[in-house]
Amino acid sequence: MLFGFEWDLSNPLAFAISILPILLIGMWVTIQATVVGFFVALVLGLIFAILKSAPSRFIAWPARLVTEFIRDTPLLVQLFFLYYVLPEYGIVLPAFMTGALALGLQYSAYTSEVYRAGIEAVGRDQHEAARALNLPSARTFTHIVVPQAIPRIVPAMGNYLVSIMKDVPVLSVVTVLEMLNVAKIIGDRTFNYLIPLSMVGGLYLIMTLVASAGVRLLDRYLPKQGLPLK
Amino acid sequence: MTDPIIKFDKVVKRFGDLTVLDELDFEVQKGEKVSIIGPSGSGKSTVLRILMTLEQIDGGIVAVGGEPLWHEPGPNGLQPASEAHLRKMRAQLGMVFQQFNLFPHMSVLRNITEAPVRVLGLSKVEARERGEELLELVGLADQADKYPHQLSGGQQQRVGIARALAMRPSILLFDEPTSALDPELVGEVLTVIGRLAEEHDLTMLLVTHEMRFAREISDRVCFFDKGQIREEGTPEALFTDPNEERTREFLKAVLD
């Protein structure tokens, strides 16, 4: 029994059906971790991107160093660090939040590069036109550069969304009951690993396909020339 | 003669080892329509880009309306201009780009009204009225809600002209405004520029390869070569009877 659901071991199909609600609870945790992690990656990545392109070297270089460090160390190391080291300094977060934060932190290093590429892809001609019209640089960034950069970064961000989703099982090592962890517990208790793990694979396939389709749809409907301003 | 509205005094501009403007002296009177012609790489566009503050200078003084553009008075004489000074100076100038440089994600009207609202502080209604008037002027009154990619090149460039005019500059710079256009679309843009030249007391500086047009609308034509003005004069004098051999060669090459 797990989460109040009994399993039925009489035959494989009955077993699969009986553990589906349990796996779906785990899947919901996986989705939550993905969403929170992706949100953190989007926000933190934008901050890193802005810092990295700061005119002052004293801001740009540390930002570059930090993102490079994040990118070149394993997610698991960062996760352990956050989970075991932070409490020593009095910062105690629930396992789920720690995990989602670690995911977001790792991926913010990647998304910051996507932002940077998207921002730099907005041509010099646009900056010159804005300058000739005397538009303030903050306004140029928010209303000329960003609306044109967004359609360009959507596909790459979509790929990272799927990657984050597939990395969520790493959080099982810090006791987060995401889908894979739940399946493993079922296996440990019933000695049947084949069915729960296969189901996890299938459910993952459905999740990633849905996410990819969503991103493609968004990509198709975003105007290539930028978010329209009337 | 009154004080010139634009004055280049021994202006030097380098790109790496290449000297683009070589101690250029150049003056434009208020309301004057001046065409700049010359071979590519002769520094023609650079003159406009320096005026629009898109390109810094490496030596000399540029003055607009009697005030230094790239410098401002400091405790020890002239010092490099601050962004605030450049913003103030830029308000006098408008630019029409070779590649139009419209904002592709903004409607035609928004392209025109964005800066008047944000920079001049016009209300949206005022800006809209101004925008519609200008679209009327360039013959695009019915295209206000379209987006640039839905327009032809000639129409896009006319929007570019309206956008520059919306800031009410006293000096309008045209950087090869028809060079990126298909031949059949050149005429409609030139017509608009010609009308502006006739009906407004704007000071106009036009870098162009359209010799016939330069001849029609200009008060003065300057032939640039190797970062200096090789020869200048009225269109008649320069086109029919140039003094310099280099001018003659150039005109022969482009007019044939």
Side-chain angles (χ1 to χ4, degrees), chain A residues 124-137 139 143-144 147-148 225-230, chain B residues 49 52-54 83 87 90-91 97 101-107 110 114-115 118-119 145 147 149 163 167:
Chain A
R124 218 171 73 143
D125 65 313
Q126 296 290 300
H127 291 277
E128 292 189 344
R131 197 166 152 88
L133 292 167
N134 237 344
L135 282 176
S137 49
R139 183 77 185 176
H143 282 69
I144 308 293
Q148 294 188 61
Q225 63 273 11
L227 302 185
L229 291 174
K230 265 232 169 275
Chain B
R49 294 175 56 80
M52 199 61 255
T53 71
L54 302 177
E83 181 60 24
R87 288 186 63 79
R90 241 180 250 141
F97 296 89
N101 298 20
L102 296 181
F103 303 127
H105 60 300
M106 290 185 175
S107 69
R110 182 67 184 262
E114 173 71 12
R118 288 296 143 186
V119 181
D145 294 326
Y147 287 83
H149 69 99
R163 183 177 68 174
M167 297 300 282

Side-chain angles (χ1 to χ4, degrees), chain A residues 16-181:
Chain A
I17 293 170
S18 68
I19 63 170
L20 183 62
I22 307 174
L23 289 177
L24 286 179
I25 290 171
M27 182 165 134
W28 178 233
V29 174
T30 300
I31 291 171
Q32 285 174 309
T34 305
V35 170
V36 175
F38 189 53
F39 179 77
V40 172
L42 286 182
V43 174
L44 213 56
L46 181 60
I47 295 171
F48 278 137
I50 291 171
L51 291 180
K52 280 200 278 191
S53 56
S56 161
R57 266 178 224 185
F58 297 103
I59 299 172
W61 274 96
R64 249 174 245 169
L65 203 72
V66 168
T67 52
E68 198 59 42
F69 179 78
I70 293 173
R71 201 157 50 154
D72 295 337
T73 49
L75 173 60
L76 201 51
V77 173
Q78 291 163 26
L79 184 60
F80 274 18
F81 193 88
L82 292 181
Y83 190 70
Y84 292 111
V85 178
L86 285 189
E88 288 182 27
Y89 296 91
I91 303 168
V92 184
L93 293 172
F96 173 85
M97 281 317 292
T98 313
L101 211 65
L103 273 176
L105 186 68
Q106 165 100 52
Y107 277 90
S108 68
Y110 297 106
T111 57
S112 73
E113 278 308 305
V114 176
Y115 280 119
R116 212 162 66 112
I119 288 167
E120 279 171 13
V122 175
R124 218 171 73 143
D125 65 313
Q126 296 290 300
H127 291 277
E128 292 189 344
R131 197 166 152 88
L133 292 167
N134 237 344
L135 282 176
S137 49
R139 183 77 185 176
T140 303
F141 185 72
T142 57
H143 282 69
I144 308 293
V145 176
V146 169
Q148 294 188 61
I150 286 175
R152 298 174 212 235
I153 66 176
V154 162
M157 290 299 184
N159 289 339
Y160 285 129
L161 173 68
V162 172
S163 293
I164 289 177
M165 192 177 268
K166 292 194 292 179
D167 273 351
V168 170
V170 172
L171 307 198
S172 64
V173 299
V174 294
T175 74
V176 174
L177 289 171
E178 49 68 51
M179 189 162 53
L180 182 68
N181 203 1

Side-chain angles (χ1 to χ4, degrees), chain B residues 4-247:
Chain B
I5 190 163
I6 297 170
K7 186 174 162 73
F8 279 60
D9 187 5
K10 297 223 179 325
V11 172
V12 177
K13 174 69 193 174
R14 292 187 206 95
F15 290 122
D17 290 337
L18 185 73
T19 301
V20 189
L21 297 184
D22 185 9
E23 300 205 347
L24 173 73
D25 291 319
F26 176 50
E27 289 186 0
V28 178
Q29 299 297 320
K30 191 168 184 311
E32 204 180 4
K33 326 289 180 209
V34 178
S35 290
I36 299 176
I37 61 170
S40 52
S42 59
K44 308 177 303 257
S45 290
T46 308
V47 169
L48 301 194
R49 294 175 56 80
I50 286 172
L51 282 167
M52 199 61 255
T53 71
L54 302 177
E55 218 75 76
Q56 295 204 30
I57 56 175
D58 298 311
I61 298 279
V62 176
V64 173
E67 239 186 299
L69 177 66
W70 279 106
H71 301 83
E72 60 186 320
N76 312 310
L78 288 181
Q79 61 188 33
S82 62
E83 181 60 24
H85 176 79
L86 292 177
R87 288 186 63 79
K88 190 189 78 182
M89 297 299 287
R90 241 180 250 141
Q92 306 172 61
L93 297 138
M95 186 152 178
V96 175
F97 296 89
Q98 180 175 357
Q99 303 289 346
F100 330 132
N101 298 20
L102 296 181
F103 303 127
H105 60 300
M106 290 185 175
S107 69
V108 163
L109 190 67
R110 182 67 184 262
N111 259 281
I112 300 171
T113 58
E114 173 71 12
V117 171
R118 288 296 143 186
V119 181
L120 305 179
L122 261 60
S123 74
K124 291 206 167 137
V125 179
E126 290 169 312
R128 199 185 168 85
E129 277 170 18
R130 186 181 285 194
E132 280 164 354
E133 261 169 48
L134 287 167
L135 281 175
E136 190 87 41
L137 177 80
V138 298
L140 293 172
D142 51 344
Q143 310 287 334
D145 294 326
K146 292 239 173 100
Y147 287 83
H149 69 99
Q150 298 170 309
L151 304 181
S152 72
Q155 290 173 320
Q156 289 188 46
Q157 190 57 297
R158 286 186 278 153
V159 175
I161 294 170
R163 183 177 68 174
L165 285 171
M167 297 300 282
R168 301 266 160 95
S170 49
I171 301 164
L172 199 48
L173 311 168
F174 294 90
D175 187 9
E176 304 198 26
T178 58
S179 297
L181 297 177
D182 291 335
E184 77 270 20
L185 301 176
V186 168
E188 62 188 68
V189 172
L190 293 185
T191 307
V192 169
I193 301 174
R195 198 173 333 130
L196 280 178
E198 251 171 54
E199 295 170 6
H200 293 260
D201 58 355
L202 273 170
T203 306
M204 286 176 37
L205 233 63
L206 174 76
V207 170
T208 188
H209 294 293
E210 298 287 333
M211 296 303 152
R212 196 165 300 133
F213 182 68
R215 188 170 177 169
E216 270 170 37
I217 70 147
S218 315
D219 301 315
R220 179 158 57 104
V221 179
C222 298
F223 173 66
F224 266 64
D225 188 37
K226 299 200 176 96
Q228 286 184 323
I229 296 176
R230 183 58 73 95
E231 183 170 0
E232 60 181 317
T234 62
E236 284 72 29
L238 196 104
F239 282 114
T240 51
D241 185 24
N243 293 323
E244 298 270 337
E245 182 56 34
R246 188 71 191 87
T247 317

